[in-house]
């Protein structure tokens, strides 16, 4: 197959071992990061080399980083932003030295992702991540103590309020200006190092609590890619993040950006969109959710996509416990399903 099948691994503390990951048919690459550094700090070469060695011992390749976090002061354009940008460039160089070819990041203010529940039970007994608008009603982080799943617990409530107020003042255009500064600084370094930077869409791709969100739709993806028109300025196209907004035609977006050769990394998962715009994460199979996973894979193979693919969030099934969305069993089922789709689509293309 042309695509490179990969699997997210959270390091030596991950309940899902590299040994188990290596037993998934067709598994090639490990997607990981240095987790003992705060955003803005420079990663140690020793930590990166340790991940690389651990992967190689299990016949796997560590060549995707997810993520090198972007410090809030870079997004806000304040404080020691020049130093933080240079630290980011140094992390790109160090990742490249360790053999990394793709680095994922996001430009979401404050919260990487928002869900209201991590263990919503389905009729079959499996559990998954969901976001229900009904559970968001009446919540005001500027006045209430809110601890939603997925929010960085290292922030105090007063820090959260300060950040939300600062982003409210900054607004969308201010966030775009700071993304432009970021890209114009880091993309040339990525080019020199032979690394593709892959921005992850906002999850979900619309404003939450008034925070500006800009990596949300086709128009904005076009704008982001045009800031620095470089093969190193790419997308991490997450079907589940973009797909939980009814207005996004995910298949069309995959077709368009794969043909442009601007997708470095595919996160493939399925979601079911409810009538009110709420959504539930579902099994990868097309019929389980609102996305046509077959058409997404077909669009990739038609374009000759040879980048990285990973089964994204899975349900918790068969009694497994662990990090919500990142158990072994359902993601392994997702990998097997994707392997089958890619094989069928590629053979159909060759026929």
């Amino acid at each position: 197959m042309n695509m490179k099948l990969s699997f997210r691994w959270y390091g030596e503390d991950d309940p899902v071992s590299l040994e188990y990951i290596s037993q998934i048919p067709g598994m090639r690459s490990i997607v990981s990061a240095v987790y003992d550094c705060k955003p803005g700090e420079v990663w140690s070469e020793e930590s990166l080399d340790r991940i690389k060695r651990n992967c190689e011992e299990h016949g796997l390749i560590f060549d995707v980083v997810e993520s090198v976090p972007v410090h809030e002061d870079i997004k806000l354009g304040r404080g020691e932003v020049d130093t933080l940008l240079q630290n980011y460039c140094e992390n790109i160089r160090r990742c490249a030295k360790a053999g990394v070819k793709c680095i994922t990041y996001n430009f979401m203010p404050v919260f990487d992702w928002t869900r209201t529940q991590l263990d919503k039970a389905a009729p079959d007994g499996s559990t998954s991540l969901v976001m229900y608008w009904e559970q968001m009603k009446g919540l005001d982080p500027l006045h209430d103590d809110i601890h939603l799943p997925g929010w960085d617990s290292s922030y105090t409530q007063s820090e959260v309020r300060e950040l939300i107020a600062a982003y409210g003042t900054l607004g969308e255009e201010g966030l775009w200006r700071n993304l432009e500064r970021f890209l114009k600084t880091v993309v040339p370094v990525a080019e020199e190092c032979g690394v593709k930077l892959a921005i992850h869409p906002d999850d979900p791709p619309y404003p939450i609590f008034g925070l500006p969100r800009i990596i949300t739709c086709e128009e904005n993806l076009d704008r982001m890619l045009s800031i620095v028109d470089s093969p190193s300025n790419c997308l991490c196209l997450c079907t589940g993040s973009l797909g939980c907004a009814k207005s996004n035609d995910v298949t069309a977006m995959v077709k368009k950006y794969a043909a442009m050769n601007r997708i470095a990394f595919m996160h493939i998962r399925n979601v079911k969109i409810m009538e009110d715009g709420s959504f539930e994460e579902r099994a990868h199979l097309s019929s389980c959710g609102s996305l046509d996973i077959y058409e997404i894979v077909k669009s990739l193979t038609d374009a000759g996509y040879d980048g990285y693919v990973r089964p994204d969030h899975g349900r918790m099934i068969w009694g497994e416990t662990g990090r919500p969305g990142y158990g072994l069993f359902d993601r392994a089922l997702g990998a097997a399903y994707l392997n089958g789709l890619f094989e069928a689509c590629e053979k159909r293309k060759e026929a």
Side-chain angles (χ1 to χ4, degrees):
M1 293 189 194
N2 293 322
M3 68 86 176
K4 302 176 183 73
L5 189 64
S6 63
F7 211 79
R8 184 91 181 258
W9 181 61
Y10 282 94
E12 293 167 10
D13 294 334
D14 195 325
V16 180
S17 69
L18 289 172
E19 178 186 2
Y20 289 170
I21 295 170
S22 70
Q23 294 170 14
I24 301 170
M27 192 53 63
R28 177 193 186 276
S29 295
I30 286 296
V31 182
S32 196
V34 174
Y35 294 106
D36 58 359
C37 275
K38 294 178 181 178
E41 294 180 349
V42 175
W43 292 1
S44 76
E45 293 182 0
E46 292 77 15
S47 295
L48 287 162
D49 288 340
R50 184 180 179 92
I51 300 171
K52 181 179 180 179
R53 286 195 309 272
N54 283 338
C55 293
E56 289 174 348
E57 287 169 5
H58 293 87
L60 298 163
I61 303 169
F62 171 49
D63 52 358
V64 186
V65 160
E66 184 178 343
S67 300
V68 179
V70 179
H71 195 282
E72 297 297 334
D73 283 354
I74 293 177
K75 300 173 198 172
L76 285 164
R78 68 183 189 183
E80 300 296 323
V81 64
D82 289 327
T83 300
L84 291 167
L85 286 169
Q86 291 313 308
N87 287 354
Y88 205 97
C89 291
E90 180 60 23
N91 279 331
I92 294 172
R93 296 186 189 99
R94 293 190 177 195
C95 287
K97 186 178 177 182
V100 170
K101 302 298 182 187
C102 177
I103 295 174
T104 306
Y105 68 99
N106 72 68
F107 225 71
M108 289 182 248
V110 193
F111 315 118
D112 275 7
W113 48 274
T114 301
R115 302 290 187 274
T116 56
Q117 198 173 339
L118 302 182
D119 57 355
K120 170 65 177 175
D124 62 7
S126 63
T127 63
S128 67
L129 288 69
V130 300
M131 196 191 87
Y132 294 144
W133 282 111
E134 185 64 34
Q135 295 174 336
M136 297 277 281
K137 279 184 180 176
L139 298 183
D140 182 356
L142 289 177
H143 299 96
D144 307 322
D145 286 347
I146 297 175
H147 301 278
L148 282 175
W151 289 19
D152 190 337
S153 59
S154 66
Y155 291 129
T156 65
Q157 289 292 316
S158 61
E159 287 171 334
V160 167
R161 289 172 186 140
E162 187 276 326
L163 284 168
I164 290 175
Y167 279 110
T169 301
L170 183 71
E172 282 193 12
E173 285 305 315
L175 192 58
W176 275 112
R177 285 194 302 273
N178 294 332
L179 176 60
E180 179 174 350
R181 181 180 183 182
F182 173 78
L183 291 173
K184 288 183 174 178
T185 303
V186 302
V187 172
V189 176
E191 277 185 2
E192 291 171 13
C193 295
V195 168
K196 291 189 175 184
L197 294 175
I199 194 167
H200 190 287
D202 298 343
D203 186 6
Y206 35 75
I208 299 288
F209 299 125
L211 288 166
R213 291 198 155 184
I214 57 177
I215 309 302
T216 55
C217 61
E218 183 176 348
E219 178 185 356
N220 288 10
L221 294 180
D222 287 345
R223 179 174 176 178
M224 191 286 301
L225 291 172
S226 69
I227 290 172
V228 182
D229 187 7
S230 161
S232 286
N233 183 27
C234 293
L235 304 174
C236 169
L237 202 151
C238 178
T239 64
S241 296
L242 292 168
C244 58
K246 293 179 183 179
S247 54
N248 283 332
D249 184 337
V250 176
T251 301
M253 294 164 87
V254 170
K255 189 175 297 185
K256 172 180 175 175
Y257 297 116
M260 293 168 60
N261 199 28
R262 297 300 285 275
I263 303 175
F265 196 11
M266 284 294 307
H267 288 184
I268 302 182
R269 60 182 171 89
N270 209 345
V271 290
K272 180 67 175 178
I273 307 175
M274 309 287 116
E275 282 298 316
D276 67 347
S278 301
F279 61 89
E280 300 174 349
E281 297 190 1
R282 294 284 184 90
H284 285 73
L285 189 70
S286 295
S287 59
C288 292
S290 299
L291 302 180
D292 191 330
I293 306 300
Y294 165 77
E295 287 293 339
I296 288 167
V297 169
K298 183 176 179 295
S299 297
L300 291 169
T301 54
D302 285 348
Y305 180 73
D306 62 357
Y308 298 93
V309 171
R310 76 169 173 86
D312 204 1
H313 303 170
R315 304 163 300 148
M316 282 299 183
I317 61 173
W318 303 339
E320 185 177 20
T321 58
R323 183 185 290 267
Y326 285 97
L328 171 65
F329 302 150
D330 201 40
R331 285 191 297 157
L333 289 178
Y337 175 55
L338 294 176
N339 272 333
L341 287 178
F342 272 98
E343 181 177 356
C345 288
E346 287 175 6
K347 287 184 174 177
R348 178 178 176 178
K349 183 182 175 184
E350 292 166 3

